[in-house]
Amino acid sequence: LKENIKIKFDLLIVLGKPDVEKVKKYENFLNMAIRKLDKDKYRSILIRPRPVSKFFNGLGGLKLIRNPSFRTEIDSPKNSIVHSTAISRINVIIYTPATNLYECAIVKKPFIALDLYENPSEIFRKHLEFFHRVGVMHKDSKSLINFLNNRDIDSWWKHVVSQKGYSNFLTEFCGQ
């Protein structure tokens, strides 16, 4: 990511496939986040539905509560995920496994995710355990939101990327 790109959003919330079952989970997470996130730390949120095409986002009937404490925008499917990631301070990945996790890891962009891996491979399991230990992966929305509210993201992320487990993950899964 270029150093001269201006951060416009505190959080980028990345959603996965817009099927009926998942839309309700996304809606629940987003509405909890809008109610529970620290309004002083996270004033602007960009929500990135998985695009269905260049013209249709993957909202699939998603209903969001509005909170005047936040500037909340829905990302356009015309924007690249790279651009949306670049203009956001931290990525929140709501559906895993996701290629966005690997993309963020490669460019060392802060990310945090819900762990929805049902059957992680043996080779990935040790990395998943590392990500849980350092606070990148969370089993539920409440844990993820509490973590965001109670951490200095910049110092936490510097610690994460300095760990051997992070460089091992990059080597094994990202060709770094």
Side-chain angles (χ1 to χ4, degrees):
L1 297 173
K2 293 183 180 179
E3 295 294 326
N4 61 352
I5 292 177
K6 186 176 187 274
I7 300 295
K8 295 180 182 175
F9 295 94
D10 296 314
L11 296 176
L12 168 63
I13 300 178
V14 181
L15 308 178
K17 294 177 184 175
D19 62 47
V20 175
E21 178 187 313
K22 292 185 183 95
V23 167
K24 193 68 181 161
K25 288 179 182 179
Y26 301 153
E27 193 173 278
N28 290 340
F29 175 84
L30 291 168
N31 289 326
M32 178 190 279
I34 289 168
R35 284 192 322 276
K36 303 282 187 181
L37 276 169
D38 183 328
K39 286 134 190 78
D40 294 323
K41 284 176 79 172
Y42 305 108
R43 301 202 51 81
S44 56
I45 301 171
L46 181 61
I47 300 169
R48 172 75 181 198
R50 184 174 180 168
V52 177
S53 75
K54 285 243 184 223
F55 303 102
F56 298 104
N57 64 32
L59 282 176
L62 191 70
K63 293 175 184 69
L64 298 176
I65 61 172
R66 293 291 175 197
N67 184 331
S69 300
F70 295 106
R71 177 172 60 100
T72 305
E73 292 182 25
I74 306 295
D75 201 12
S76 168
K78 293 180 182 179
N79 294 335
S80 75
I81 186 73
V82 172
H83 173 75
S84 301
T85 297
I87 62 170
S88 303
R89 193 165 136 241
I90 182 170
N91 277 17
V92 179
I93 304 167
I94 302 306
Y95 186 75
T96 54
T99 56
N100 189 245
L101 183 144
Y102 303 102
E103 294 159 349
C104 288
I106 289 170
V107 297
K108 294 184 172 72
K109 184 72 170 187
F111 67 94
I112 190 168
L114 282 179
D115 176 7
L116 300 177
Y117 286 90
E118 291 177 3
N119 296 305
S121 67
E122 193 62 41
I123 194 169
F124 187 70
R125 193 168 287 130
K126 67 182 176 191
H127 299 293
L128 198 53
E129 290 167 4
F130 164 75
F131 283 136
H132 275 281
R133 263 194 326 277
V134 296
V136 169
M137 294 296 248
H138 294 264
K139 284 288 185 192
D140 60 59
S141 301
K142 185 178 179 182
S143 168
L144 188 149
I145 291 167
N146 285 338
F147 189 89
L148 284 170
N149 285 341
N150 294 301
R151 293 293 182 290
D152 174 288
I153 296 302
D154 295 328
S155 59
W156 163 73
W157 189 249
K158 284 179 187 171
H159 172 74
V160 170
V161 298
S162 71
Q163 299 296 302
K164 182 91 172 128
Y166 190 84
S167 58
N168 289 345
F169 173 77
L170 290 178
T171 300
E172 199 156 355
F173 281 90
C174 303
Q176 300 285 302

